Amino acid sequence: MKKLYILLLVLATSNVFAQNDRTKKADKLYNRLEYVKAAEEYQEIAIEEADAYVYEQLANCYYNLFKTKDAERWYRQSISEGNKKADVYYKYAQMLKANSKYKEHNEWMAKFADAKPRDKRAIAFNKNPNYIPQILAKVTKFEVKNSEINTKNSDFGAISAGNSVYFTSTRDGGRKYGWNDQPYLDIYMASYDGDGELSNAISLSDDINTKYHEGTVSFSPDKKTMYFTRENYYDGKFKKDEDGKGTLNLYTATMSGGEWGNVKSVPFNNDEYSVGHPAVSADGKTLYFASDMPGGLGQSDLYKVAINSDGSFGEPENLGGDINTEGREFFPYMSSNNTLYFSSDGHLGIGGLDVFAARVKDGSYGAVRNLGTPLNSNSDDFSFTFDEESKKGFVASNRDGGKGSDDIYEVNLINPICDVDYVITVTDKETGAVLSGANVILADDQGNSVGAKTTDSEGKVVFKVECDKSSQLEASIEGYVPEKVDVNSGDNPERSVDIPLAPIEEIIEEEVIVLNPIFFDFDKHNIRQDGAFELDKVVSVMKKYPNMVIKVETHTDFRGPASYNQRLSERRAKSTVQYIISNGIDASRLSSEGKGESAPLIDCKKCTDEEHQQNRRSDFIIVSKD
């Protein structure tokens, strides 16, 4: 993959060690991004007489080719020769991580953080230096399968468009590019065969594919406009920047007569920097892309630009520091539920490039999430696209076990992409002491229980829920008043919830147990869910005070004949008592009386529905306590 889409976004590495005539040929190849040949030249120099500069350049060649073991070796050699550059420390750490040497990775990331403490990557690492085991322990969200469409060459950037899948590949040979000595990239279209496998890959027309690189694509919602990346080749002319390198540009093409044509350059292309990796929002109003244009935060940043109704464009906007880092952000993809997916080596990951996700809401970006294994690996994982309805998509990777240098993997969602850990702590309301052994129930916004756990020695339990979900949390333990709280998960990875429980004595007064009202539905006597929660408090009181005797009095509203209301209140009193008995309280300790409509809380002539409900209630009278 480190060819068209990283090669032209790689910035020249400045070196504190001087270039000289000895390295002139190798440096020229390096600056032309011909890393295979450059590495050979630096290797020759290293055999006879090398210094930190030569070792670093050699390491950079392998870094850009993702030859991780070779890159690790030469960065280590450069550092041993006195290279103390923070950027070298960082790249060395990344190669150690890619080679699964996590302990050593942490040591060199700590050195990088000391050398460059204000770097966002350093700040993120210092906040969570042991993040790798946490990512590896994440709940698996995807199944991945190597696609039948892959070849021994590079294949990546797959995206569905109707019944077709478009992707980028070097499969047809032809001219080779000096970066990695592979052919130039073209755009292909494939379809599914009778077995559901991708096959029949066809190269797009010469209007789209040229003798230079073409790459990842995106489409307008009606699939009549294609946005794609190409090297700066337009109207038969290939343009280079002031250093003699090609740049990436974005182009549009329209469908006519079953063929893509009418290629146009977007107005924010530039000969001096790259613009690529298009991703159109589901509503077709925004185009996301990657660029190394001046003013960005890192080596390459993600941007967005408005697509106007007439097909023109607004002014590009940087997505800002919530998304972009001092590293490299590539391959944006905006799904239909406003989740931004992208690849980055600047956010905390487990390999070279990892795939991340961030929810977009009201123009701002939520927490950036690493999507974990097996979607991500200790290699480069990139060009992720995903259909929210079918829960299927694609990712590309140069991980071990593939068919070529980069392979397309088909992915299926098996767990929610965006989730939040509720970290719940139950404490004594009066003393603040943690309460171990407390029962905590997680319910949905309708009150349906979806899980229950018991607090540990630190008074904590953890529940994993989807982002932006409303839930109820109920905590209880003997000797305390049960408590229920409503929470919304939001979209940060962790949400702390404290539930203080009051000692049971708080609801015991001289003559009554003070509860929130036990309401009944109109003309009903069954115990409601909210009523059951309050009755559990009565059960807790009576268990703590085994000699306590309670009388339950129930009341109705004024609607209906008084005689009927009297019988209804008696049924309600009996169902209330039965609930308490069913939870372990001896029947001899309970009595009941239906009061009908004779003792209203609100003596109203024309009662509102709320006033009627206030009158439909139960009271709990303490007959004796000792």
Side-chain angles (χ1 to χ4, degrees), residues 3-181:
K3 36 198 78 78
L4 174 60
Y5 295 103
I6 292 184
L7 72 89
L8 293 178
L9 289 176
V10 169
L11 302 181
T13 305
S14 60
N15 286 281
V16 297
F17 300 95
Q19 303 179 36
N20 53 50
D21 290 339
R22 188 167 51 97
T23 64
K24 187 174 182 180
K25 182 179 179 181
D27 293 336
K28 185 175 181 179
L29 291 166
Y30 183 90
N31 291 331
R32 294 206 320 243
L33 312 181
E34 296 185 21
Y35 295 122
V36 173
K37 294 179 181 178
E40 293 172 356
E41 293 296 326
Y42 288 124
Q43 284 268 27
E44 288 294 323
I45 299 169
I47 292 172
E48 298 179 1
E49 182 185 0
D51 55 19
Y53 170 76
V54 171
Y55 291 137
E56 181 186 344
Q57 290 296 91
L58 186 52
N60 286 338
C61 289
Y62 290 122
Y63 178 88
N64 290 321
L65 294 167
F66 206 70
K67 301 287 187 180
T68 59
K69 292 181 180 179
D70 291 320
E72 176 195 330
R73 172 191 175 189
W74 296 114
Y75 281 131
R76 180 170 60 248
Q77 192 69 27
S78 182
I79 291 169
S80 71
E81 292 291 327
N83 194 334
K84 297 181 179 180
K85 290 164 52 179
D87 183 60
V88 170
Y89 289 174
Y90 182 80
K91 289 180 178 178
Y92 181 43
Q94 299 315 296
M95 294 299 94
L96 289 166
K97 179 174 62 176
N99 295 327
S100 300
K101 298 179 179 180
Y102 299 136
K103 182 179 179 181
E104 292 176 70
H105 160 266
N106 284 5
E107 292 173 358
W108 284 96
M109 277 298 294
K111 294 178 186 292
F112 164 73
D114 288 341
K116 207 171 183 180
R118 295 184 180 180
D119 190 296
K120 283 184 64 177
R121 297 167 294 181
I123 293 169
F125 174 79
N126 282 334
K127 286 182 178 178
N128 190 9
N130 296 312
Y131 72 91
I132 292 177
Q134 296 171 13
I135 294 176
L136 295 175
K138 278 177 174 283
V139 173
T140 299
K141 301 184 184 303
F142 293 94
E143 294 175 334
V144 301
K145 169 196 162 187
N146 192 286
S147 176
E148 291 295 327
I149 203 70
N150 291 313
T151 64
K152 66 179 181 180
N153 285 3
S154 182
D155 304 284
F156 64 98
I159 183 172
S160 294
N163 296 321
S164 300
V165 173
Y166 288 74
F167 65 98
T168 302
S169 179
T170 63
R171 62 186 54 212
D172 284 344
R175 287 196 315 139
K176 291 187 176 180
Y177 187 72
W179 173 287
N180 62 350
D181 210 27

Side-chain angles (χ1 to χ4, degrees), residues 19 67 186 205 226 299 387 425 532 538 606:
Q19 303 179 36
K67 301 287 187 180
D186 282 334
S205 71
M226 179 173 71
Q299 297 175 53
D387 186 314
T425 306
V538 178
K606 293 184 178 181

Side-chain angles (χ1 to χ4, degrees), residues 504-574:
I504 201 71
E505 284 74 18
E506 187 173 281
I507 62 172
I508 302 174
E509 293 190 356
E510 190 170 328
E511 296 181 353
V512 297
I513 297 175
V514 181
L515 305 176
N516 293 315
I518 307 293
F519 294 132
F520 295 88
D521 291 325
F522 173 65
D523 202 29
K524 303 291 183 182
H525 66 272
N526 58 288
I527 302 299
R528 298 190 336 189
Q529 190 173 48
D530 54 354
F533 178 74
E534 294 301 318
L535 291 179
D536 287 341
K537 298 177 183 179
V538 178
V539 173
S540 295
V541 170
M542 298 188 76
K543 285 183 176 179
K544 182 165 185 178
Y545 296 94
N547 296 320
M548 181 180 284
V549 176
I550 296 292
K551 179 182 179 182
V552 179
E553 294 182 351
T554 59
H555 306 264
T556 69
D557 56 34
F558 293 111
R559 290 178 289 188
S563 58
Y564 176 83
N565 285 337
Q566 179 62 38
R567 292 192 298 274
L568 177 62
S569 68
E570 290 170 0
R571 292 197 299 274
R572 288 175 174 172
K574 288 180 181 179

Side-chain angles (χ1 to χ4, degrees), residues 598-613:
S598 63
L601 274 181
I602 304 173
D603 192 4
C604 48
K605 300 298 181 182
K606 293 184 178 181
C607 301
T608 64
D609 287 343
E610 184 177 330
E611 288 171 332
H612 279 308
Q613 190 171 72

Side-chain angles (χ1 to χ4, degrees), residues 112-412:
F112 164 73
D114 288 341
K116 207 171 183 180
R118 295 184 180 180
D119 190 296
K120 283 184 64 177
R121 297 167 294 181
I123 293 169
F125 174 79
N126 282 334
K127 286 182 178 178
N128 190 9
N130 296 312
Y131 72 91
I132 292 177
Q134 296 171 13
I135 294 176
L136 295 175
K138 278 177 174 283
V139 173
T140 299
K141 301 184 184 303
F142 293 94
E143 294 175 334
V144 301
K145 169 196 162 187
N146 192 286
S147 176
E148 291 295 327
I149 203 70
N150 291 313
T151 64
K152 66 179 181 180
N153 285 3
S154 182
D155 304 284
F156 64 98
I159 183 172
S160 294
N163 296 321
S164 300
V165 173
Y166 288 74
F167 65 98
T168 302
S169 179
T170 63
R171 62 186 54 212
D172 284 344
R175 287 196 315 139
K176 291 187 176 180
Y177 187 72
W179 173 287
N180 62 350
D181 210 27
Q182 280 203 23
Y184 278 71
L185 293 155
D186 282 334
I187 301 169
Y188 292 79
M189 181 179 69
S191 56
Y192 290 97
D193 62 21
D195 296 325
E197 302 290 353
L198 280 175
S199 62
N200 192 29
I202 301 170
S203 174
L204 298 193
S205 71
D206 291 343
D207 286 346
I208 304 300
N209 289 325
T210 68
K211 61 182 180 180
Y212 296 99
H213 285 300
E214 282 76 33
T216 52
V217 305
S218 187
F219 298 92
S220 60
D222 61 8
K223 304 300 186 286
K224 293 181 179 179
T225 301
M226 179 173 71
Y227 300 78
F228 69 100
T229 315
R230 177 194 287 167
E231 282 191 271
N232 195 354
Y233 178 76
Y234 187 57
D235 284 342
K237 297 179 181 179
F238 181 75
K239 296 183 179 180
K240 299 180 180 181
D241 65 14
E242 60 184 11
D243 295 322
K245 301 187 187 76
T247 58
L248 295 181
N249 278 186
L250 276 176
Y251 299 89
T252 63
T254 53
M255 175 65 76
S256 178
E259 292 286 345
W260 293 106
N262 190 28
V263 174
K264 295 181 179 179
S265 173
V266 302
F268 46 90
N269 283 331
N270 195 288
D271 296 339
E272 297 302 321
Y273 53 80
S274 290
V275 177
H277 305 187
V280 181
S281 61
D283 61 8
K285 295 181 179 180
T286 306
L287 175 66
Y288 294 83
F289 62 92
S291 178
D292 60 347
M293 67 176 65
L297 302 179
Q299 297 175 53
S300 65
D301 283 8
L302 299 186
Y303 292 79
K304 67 178 180 179
V305 63
I307 304 174
N308 301 318
S309 58
D310 62 358
S312 62
F313 296 91
E315 291 296 321
E317 299 177 39
N318 189 294
L319 297 194
D322 290 336
I323 301 297
N324 293 314
T325 69
E326 288 87 345
R328 300 177 293 188
E329 279 68 49
F330 299 121
F331 298 101
Y333 177 79
M334 180 63 75
S335 73
S336 59
N337 74 346
N338 288 326
T339 298
L340 174 67
Y341 300 96
F342 62 99
S343 290
S344 171
D345 66 1
H347 292 281
L348 298 181
I350 58 173
L353 291 170
D354 276 20
V355 179
F356 296 85
R359 298 288 289 271
V360 184
K361 188 175 182 180
D362 299 328
S364 62
Y365 300 93
V368 172
R369 299 167 182 277
N370 187 299
L371 294 186
T373 61
L375 190 73
N376 290 318
S377 67
N378 61 354
S379 298
D380 281 328
D381 306 287
F382 56 98
S383 68
F384 178 76
T385 61
F386 183 69
D387 186 314
E388 297 286 357
E389 293 185 4
S390 68
K391 306 302 181 187
K392 297 180 182 296
F394 302 96
V395 71
S397 179
N398 57 7
R399 67 187 64 182
D400 291 341
K403 298 176 184 177
S405 59
D406 302 309
D407 276 7
I408 294 168
Y409 290 80
E410 299 172 22
V411 303
N412 291 309

Side-chain angles (χ1 to χ4, degrees), residues 608-622:
T608 64
D609 287 343
E610 184 177 330
E611 288 171 332
H612 279 308
Q613 190 171 72
Q614 293 291 321
N615 285 330
R616 299 192 301 270
R617 70 194 192 279
S618 295
D619 296 327
F620 298 85
I621 313 301
I622 299 174

